[in-house]
């Protein structure tokens, strides 16, 4: 198990990505979730994202890839045309 940010520090060390989680003052009041920002080279960010998704799956007791789970990804509005092909 990890304490106070150890998971993200470990993930950052392993992938080389910089990972930041918004604080209460940085998050809009109407949003109860936190914002995770990753920066670095493409492969660093991909590794960090994969590590976070794997951890979330374990927390939900989804240990096998064929088990259905969900993951919400918020992307900038400007990126939507790239994702949907518009």
């Amino acid at each position: 198990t990890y304490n106070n940010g150890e998971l993200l520090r470990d993930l950052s060390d392993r992938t080389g990505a910089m990972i930041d989680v918004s604080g209460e003052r940085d998050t809009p009041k109407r949003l109860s979730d936190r914002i995770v920002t990753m920066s670095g080279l493409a492969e660093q960010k991909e590794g960090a994202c994969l590590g976070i998704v794997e951890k979330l799956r374990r927390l939900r007791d989804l240990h096998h890839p064929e088990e259905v789970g969900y993951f919400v990804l918020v992307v900038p509005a400007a990126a939507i045309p790239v994702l949907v092909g518009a």
Side-chain angles (χ1 to χ4, degrees), residues 8-52:
L8 294 181
R9 277 192 297 279
D10 178 60
L11 192 54
S12 182
D13 289 346
R14 286 189 289 120
T15 64
M18 293 183 65
I19 306 168
D20 182 60
V21 179
S22 65
E24 283 187 38
R25 286 184 254 156
D26 303 324
T27 305
K29 296 217 181 294
R30 67 185 181 283
L31 184 63
S32 63
D33 300 318
R34 296 285 190 250
I35 299 167
V36 178
T37 304
M38 292 172 272
S39 59
L41 300 173
E43 63 268 8
Q44 293 170 324
K45 292 181 288 188
E46 288 172 8
C49 190
L50 180 60
I52 290 170

